[in-house]
Amino acid sequence: MSRRLATGGRRIQRDIAVPFTFNGRAVSGFAGDTLASALLAAGQTVFGRSFKYHRKRGVLASGVEEPNALMGLGEGAVFEPNQRATVTPLVPGLQAQSQNHWPSLEFDVGAINAGLARFFPAGFYYKTFIHPRAAWKHLFEPVIRQAAGLGQAPTTPDAQRYEYFYAYTDVLVVGGGVAGLTAARAAVAAGKRVLLMEQAPVFGGRAPTEGERIDGLAPEVWVERTVAGLRDAGVSLRPLTTVAGLYDHGYVLAEERLTGPLRHRLWRIRAGQIITATGAFERPLSFAGNDAPGVMLAAAMRDYVDLYGVAPAVRTVLVTNNDDAYRTALALKGAGLSVPAVLDLRPVAAGALPEAARAAGLRVEAGTGIARVLQRGDGVAAVETCRADGSGRVLERIACDGVAMSGGWSPAVHLWSQVGGKLSWDAGGAMFRPDPARPPVGADGRPFVHPAGAANGALTLNAALADAAAAAGRATGSAAAVPEGVAPEESAILAQWVVPAKAGKALRAKAFLDFQNDVKVADVQLAAQEGFESVEHTKRYTTLGMATDQGKTSNINGLAVLAEALDKPIPEVGTTTFRPPFTPIALGSIAGEARGALFKPLRRTPMDAWHDAHGAHWEPVAEWRRPYAYCREGERVKDAVRREILNTRAHVGLLDASTLGKILVAGRDAARFLDLVYTNKMSSLSPGRCRYGLMCTESGFLFDDGVVARLSDQAFLCHTTSGGADRVYGWLEEWLQTEWWDLDVHLVNLTEQFAQIAVVGPKARSLLERLGGLDVGRDALRFMGWAEGTLGGIQARVFRISFSGELSYEVAVPAGAGPAFWEACLAAGADLGVMPYGTEALHVMRAEKGFIMIGDETDGTVTPQDLNLGWAVSSKKADFIGRRAMALPHLTDPDRKQLVGLLTEDPRVVLPDGAHAITGGTNVYGQAEALGHVTSSYFSPTLGRSIAMGLIRGGARRAGETLVFQASDVSTIRARVVDPVFYDPEGTRQDV
């Protein structure tokens, strides 16, 4: 196709052709084009199909607010769906595919939905599933789910790279238009470190297109000089970077679009002050056929003409309710294009810009609007005009191939609102704007977000420049110089706006408000009629302003229609909530480099290489990988587990316990602090002794356990579960910093500083004695004691504790010495039957002893008393975290679920983990009534039978009772309630 040319084209380089494909067809644009401008220049008017009705849709806008021109880019490992053609830079070899149609863009079977539109009103998907529920659900739900969404999800792994970048700045300026540049210059002059981010590839915003002089300079010259000055002053300028979210405490997320090896960079920023110079969005108008290809926002049409030298239409009718749109009429006329009429909805079209249009020979019709757009093929054929109040007959038919519409401008308040800033209604401008009396405030109670320029409702050049300087002054606490724009009388834009006028009922039913979600005027009216008077309810019922659009073009018009239907003023109806992200962020950006091997960094113990070389069958434990069992050649995993258990019980086993959390708590108030965070008393512990301790939440629920060793009067070493080290460390720091900040306590996470090896079994002492050094005899190192010295020439700290019920020592050595100590133990115990064992053998042996496992016997709703651990809850301490909650009636109810042992009637049958004990009755929901569930279940080779533990309602009184467990949909298993300690209940084997 030949390029539809116009004069202009300041962003393109006509001497550099850029080939690309659209739906498999070869097309060519110029360097500097966007995908949208290149396709428009090639004569492409239809860019996709609408979401619900599959109507033909063209380009509406020229920026991130574009709702229609969403494309799939690339293929295979570099495919990205739902990319806006309006902000996609044209690069050689780009592959673009239109979306939401089958089998082709030109012929789409889904277009039948448009003819059935009356069967798909607002909320039809809710109503569909009501009566008769089962039949309709199974008939329609699969179809609706298949049709839901826009675009196709990639089917192959993403081959592109992404990264995070962290930044800290005094002032973050969001937006690189003239307001943002003015604010940045003022902040630099105040001595602040400034970071400026602009979503477009160039700075200056709309100023170069509008042509108004600043400080006596052409706008592009002023922008060029200002940008150069900011660079020289050390300002970090980031084009192609969209700030997607503002959060509390000056935290900001932004996505930078890159070319080359990296696709996107996600910025994580902490800013002292934030200036939002994000501009404003032009609003469409509501008339029948306003979504037809060839109908475009007025400012977007002049962007394509001025920036890209593209003629979206040859003969354009312009309809407006404000002065700014006259700039488009003049731009089209100046580019040699035809403007048969400017239709102004206002009763009087006066002012500098309307008069300039008349002086240029343009026809201006005041008090007139469009009744409907007539289409021919893939574009506009004509418009029918009517009086602006919607009364009377069609006035005339005007032939045209394009329509430019402008319903005024809405400040881009999304970022301001995301962080809690409130809005006020500006009746004169028919817009919501930031309310200076209700700004987002920081922890110090002072505002930290400052809107500037058009984002603050300052929509003339002079007003925007002055407002930006004032915003910088508020952010930096200093006065700022204001650039001089054109004289006020030359800047008469956007005066005396009016809300879009009414039209006939039948025509309004075909007028669209939200182009992306196919929401019509009639849909909002229906929502109001059906009782959805809250703007938030209407939004969800109709999908107005949802998903990636976030109301950028539809918000105010939708509110106006709802207000009219409810007979209320717009400010009383209110506005919806703007949520991050401002524009979509790629999932790859969110993940950054956390993919493949880096998706979840793997933590390895010092002995990992030895395990890997000796048949370790691995399992993930939190961030660690641990040997589940050590399989010999030809051996099944379950047989390896059985061998390891029996060997440990009879001889000696080695367990790599290095993953256990190790947190040093030191300071003058360390003992007092631990008394507050553990349920039992740690201050009475003597140096050289250990004590098992429990930690509970404020709600009284157990969330971690472990052995605490007192190292000295002012130092303790707290062991945690393997998966709990980081969580517990953060928990302790939170309480220490926010509640007990006056305590003299310091925390250090030493988890990876030590290798910890459990030497377990009746021959464990003999093995350690062969290493020589530290006396580990029964009298020298009593049960629940610890000692420090050397073993086999390696500095070691030895804890006499047991998680298996056998004689056991846990030996901590420096991490670098871990492999040497492990090998020394294997050599010294060769004739003693030493053998390593994995986590599954560990679990079975601890279950044989009735020891709990955090995460198995706990689920966030279990107290120590539920687990028969009331003995570890001090009745002598004045307070500890969770104590008061434990006294609440529902936590002292004797009918709570309590831990019990379970023995199946058939000892060969193992209860499934999680199986529910059922009563045979039903609950209030018609489901099988449950008494509780199995928390841990194993076959015990030591006992030669299955064992299990479970949380059973009123378990303490059910000893000897036989319960029925639902093993599957068709089978049950009977098991008797017993004491949960199955092996050596007297504890003689661990204290020999």
Side-chain angles (χ1 to χ4, degrees):
M1 294 181 181
S2 61
R3 189 173 177 96
R4 297 176 62 171
L5 298 176
T7 59
R10 68 176 72 243
R11 286 192 184 173
I12 60 172
Q13 301 177 54
R14 288 186 168 86
D15 58 338
I16 303 177
V18 179
F20 67 102
T21 63
F22 175 65
N23 288 346
R25 187 181 80 242
V27 193
S28 181
F30 292 140
D33 263 324
T34 64
L35 176 58
S37 67
L39 287 173
L40 284 171
Q44 185 71 38
T45 56
V46 179
F47 280 61
R49 295 279 183 158
S50 70
F51 170 59
K52 186 161 64 173
Y53 301 122
H54 287 248
R55 291 168 65 93
K56 293 178 180 179
R57 289 279 169 80
V59 172
L60 178 74
S62 60
V64 297
E65 71 273 27
E66 172 58 39
N68 296 332
L70 273 60
M71 301 284 179
L73 301 182
E75 62 181 1
V78 294
F79 175 73
E80 291 183 292
N82 294 323
Q83 300 302 298
R84 284 168 168 76
T86 50
V87 293
T88 298
L90 195 64
V91 295
L94 178 71
Q95 297 172 298
Q97 303 92 39
S98 53
Q99 300 183 154
N100 207 41
H101 53 70
W102 184 85
S104 69
L105 176 61
E106 293 73 21
F107 178 76
D108 179 18
V109 172
I112 192 174
N113 288 358
L116 302 173
R118 66 192 184 97
F119 297 108
F120 305 130
F124 84 95
Y125 31 78
Y126 300 120
K127 300 169 186 175
T128 298
F129 300 142
I130 296 178
H131 299 295
R133 180 175 177 82
W136 288 85
K137 178 180 176 66
H138 292 296
L139 179 63
F140 284 108
E141 183 177 11
V143 177
I144 291 175
R145 287 190 182 278
Q146 182 67 28
L150 285 169
Q152 297 295 319
T155 57
T156 57
D158 188 353
Q160 300 178 109
R161 284 185 54 209
Y162 307 85
E163 73 173 12
Y164 288 165
F165 190 83
Y166 296 86
Y168 304 86
T169 187
D170 298 328
V171 178
L172 170 67
V173 179
V174 185
V178 294
L181 294 174
T182 298
R185 190 166 68 174
V188 168
K192 302 298 183 182
R193 181 175 50 176
V194 178
L195 171 62
L196 188 149
M197 293 183 155
E198 164 58 42
Q199 63 190 7
V202 298
F203 296 97
R206 300 201 57 79
T209 299
E210 312 305 4
E212 294 177 309
R213 300 180 75 82
I214 307 172
D215 283 340
L217 301 172
E220 58 269 28
V221 175
W222 183 89
V223 168
E224 183 180 349
R225 292 185 181 180
T226 302
V227 168
L230 291 173
R231 284 200 176 99
D232 291 343
V235 174
S236 178
L237 299 166
R238 310 303 300 192
L240 289 173
T241 305
T242 301
V243 173
L246 294 193
Y247 306 90
D248 291 340
H249 311 297
Y251 182 63
V252 183
L253 280 183
E255 184 181 59
E256 182 177 9
R257 302 184 299 282
L258 305 165
T259 57
L262 286 172
R263 175 65 177 166
H264 294 150
R265 177 181 293 126
L266 188 70
W267 287 66
R268 298 182 170 210
I269 306 163
R270 288 286 181 183
Q273 297 288 306
I274 301 167
I275 298 174
T276 56
T278 48
F281 293 121
E282 190 170 25
R283 299 193 291 257
L285 289 168
S286 300
F287 48 83
N290 64 341
D291 68 325
V295 179
M296 192 178 292
L297 293 174
M301 189 169 283
R302 72 177 180 265
D303 282 345
Y304 288 112
V305 170
D306 178 71
L307 301 178
Y308 305 105
V310 174
V314 175
R315 184 176 171 85
T316 303
V317 169
L318 191 142
V319 58
T320 182
N321 66 359
N322 64 85
D323 284 3
D324 183 62
Y326 284 87
R327 295 185 185 278
T328 298
L330 293 168
L332 296 178
K333 176 75 173 177
L337 303 171
S338 175
V339 182
V342 178
L343 310 178
D344 197 322
L345 293 163
R346 298 172 296 184
V348 177
L353 286 168
E355 290 305 320
R358 291 187 180 96
L362 297 179
R363 175 189 172 194
V364 177
E365 295 290 341
T368 305
I370 292 179
R372 64 174 172 170
V373 173
L374 303 178
Q375 292 182 248
R376 181 187 298 119
D378 292 344
V380 173
V383 298
E384 292 182 342
T385 68
C386 64
R387 299 306 303 166
D389 60 5
S391 61
R393 58 183 177 79
V394 171
L395 298 177
E396 64 175 314
R397 179 177 294 181
I398 302 175
C400 59
D401 62 344
V403 175
M405 58 180 172
S406 178
W409 293 76
S410 298
V413 297
H414 297 63
L415 298 180
W416 166 273
S417 299
Q418 285 174 10
V419 75
K422 304 303 180 184
L423 305 175
S424 60
W425 176 250
D426 183 336
M431 61 183 173
F432 280 102
R433 63 192 302 175
D435 187 346
R438 297 179 294 168
V441 296
D444 58 1
R446 293 187 295 180
F448 69 96
V449 181
H450 311 276
N456 198 31
L459 297 172
T460 66
L461 177 61
N462 277 330
L465 295 173
D467 190 71
R474 293 192 299 272
T476 63
S478 60
V482 182
E484 294 182 4
V486 295
E489 60 270 20
E490 296 176 307
S491 189
I493 64 172
L494 307 183
Q496 300 178 355
W497 290 354
V498 296
V499 175
K502 299 180 181 180
K505 182 176 180 181
L507 296 179
R508 294 194 78 186
K510 299 176 183 178
F512 284 82
L513 296 169
D514 187 322
F515 297 85
Q516 185 169 104
N517 297 303
D518 265 353
V519 181
K520 306 186 299 297
V521 170
D523 293 326
V524 175
Q525 292 170 329
L526 178 64
Q529 179 181 331
E530 295 189 351
F532 292 90
E533 298 185 1
S534 162
V535 64
E536 293 287 3
H537 292 165
T538 298
K539 172 181 177 178
R540 284 152 182 79
Y541 193 60
T542 64
T543 69
L544 177 75
M546 291 182 68
T548 63
D549 181 68
Q550 285 293 297
K552 291 181 179 68
T553 58
S554 61
N555 187 265
I556 296 298
N557 289 350
L559 295 178
V561 172
L562 180 61
E564 178 189 70
L566 298 175
D567 195 23
K568 293 180 179 180
I570 289 178
E572 188 175 328
V573 172
T575 185
T576 54
T577 301
F578 297 107
R579 294 180 173 85
F582 171 67
T583 58
I585 293 179
L587 293 177
S589 294
I590 297 172
E593 294 181 340
R595 56 190 298 176
L598 296 178
F599 172 69
K600 188 175 183 181
L602 189 63
R603 300 174 76 177
R604 305 170 189 263
T605 73
M607 284 75 75
D608 182 270
W610 189 96
H611 303 321
D612 205 32
H614 290 79
H617 180 81
W618 298 103
E619 74 162 338
V621 179
E623 291 82 19
W624 299 94
R625 74 168 185 172
R626 299 187 69 181
Y628 182 88
Y630 298 86
C631 296
R632 295 176 175 175
E633 187 174 352
E635 187 178 35
R636 295 181 301 176
V637 173
K638 68 176 184 179
D639 293 332
V641 172
R642 180 177 185 277
R643 169 177 52 78
E644 292 167 7
I645 294 170
L646 294 177
N647 182 78
T648 302
R649 294 288 189 206
H651 303 291
V652 60
L654 296 183
L655 173 75
D656 185 353
S658 304
T659 60
L660 291 175
K662 310 167 194 72
I663 300 173
L664 178 66
V665 181
R668 187 175 57 252
D669 298 314
R672 180 182 169 195
F673 175 62
L674 292 183
D675 277 351
L676 290 168
V677 297
Y678 281 99
T679 62
N680 43 352
K681 199 167 186 177
M682 295 299 171
S683 58
S684 61
L685 193 61
S686 301
R689 298 297 295 165
C690 304
R691 183 168 292 161
Y692 176 69
L694 307 176
M695 287 186 185
C696 289
T697 66
E698 302 100 311
S699 301
F701 300 134
L702 182 62
F703 85 97
D704 206 87
D705 68 345
V707 172
V708 176
R710 188 160 195 171
L711 305 182
S712 67
D713 287 343
Q714 296 189 5
F716 295 78
L717 185 64
C718 302
H719 292 89
T720 75
T721 56
S722 293
D726 294 341
R727 181 178 70 250
V728 171
Y729 182 77
W731 171 262
L732 297 178
E733 281 284 13
E734 180 179 356
W735 283 95
L736 194 57
Q737 294 182 30
T738 62
E739 296 295 329
W740 301 313
W741 50 268
D742 56 333
L743 295 183
D744 178 21
V745 177
H746 304 280
L747 307 177
V748 182
N749 190 341
L750 301 176
T751 300
E752 294 183 336
Q753 303 302 309
F754 294 95
Q756 194 140 318
I757 298 165
V759 183
V760 182
K763 300 178 182 179
R765 183 177 292 126
S766 298
L767 187 154
L768 292 182
E769 287 175 340
R770 288 185 178 186
L771 293 176
L774 187 67
D775 186 355
V776 294
R778 188 178 191 277
D779 295 331
L781 183 56
R782 294 179 294 143
F783 183 63
M784 295 305 285
W786 70 271
E788 199 164 28
T790 61
L791 284 174
I794 297 173
Q795 188 66 31
R797 183 181 290 150
V798 183
F799 304 92
R800 178 84 189 282
I801 53 182
S802 177
F803 195 49
S804 61
E806 298 293 338
L807 171 65
S808 175
Y809 298 84
E810 289 194 14
V811 184
V813 299
F821 186 78
W822 180 271
E823 293 277 11
C825 288
L826 290 171
D831 61 337
L832 299 176
V834 68
M835 185 185 295
Y837 66 92
T839 54
E840 184 64 2
L842 167 75
H843 290 166
V844 175
M845 288 190 286
R846 67 89 190 171
E848 291 171 345
K849 280 292 295 179
F851 294 149
I852 69 160
M853 178 69 73
I854 297 294
D856 288 0
E857 278 63 57
T858 64
D859 62 1
T861 65
V862 177
T863 69
Q865 292 83 357
D866 297 336
L867 300 175
N868 308 317
L869 295 174
W871 56 267
V873 178
S874 174
S875 59
K876 298 178 181 178
K877 292 195 298 183
D879 202 5
F880 57 82
I881 299 172
R883 175 169 181 166
R884 278 163 282 186
M886 290 179 186
L888 294 173
H890 72 283
L891 293 189
T892 57
D893 184 352
D895 204 36
R896 280 181 61 81
K897 293 180 181 178
Q898 296 162 337
L899 187 69
V900 299
L902 298 166
L903 293 177
T904 55
E905 289 187 339
D906 184 342
R908 298 168 298 177
V909 174
V910 179
L911 281 167
D913 279 329
H916 286 270
I918 56 175
T919 64
T922 57
N923 59 22
V924 294
Y925 303 106
Q927 303 165 323
E929 184 180 26
L931 289 171
H933 66 281
V934 176
T935 60
S936 297
S937 184
Y938 306 96
F939 186 87
S940 166
T942 307
L943 303 172
R945 63 155 301 125
S946 66
I947 59 171
M949 293 190 286
L951 285 167
I952 303 297
R953 197 163 65 224
R957 66 173 185 272
R958 295 184 183 273
E961 187 175 334
T962 297
L963 304 179
V964 177
F965 289 84
Q966 191 79 50
S968 69
D969 290 341
V970 295
S971 64
T972 59
I973 298 173
R974 293 169 61 84
R976 180 166 50 91
V977 175
V978 298
D979 188 273
V981 182
F982 302 99
Y983 175 75
D984 187 26
E986 296 80 14
T988 56
R989 294 182 64 87
Q990 67 187 15
D991 191 18
V992 294

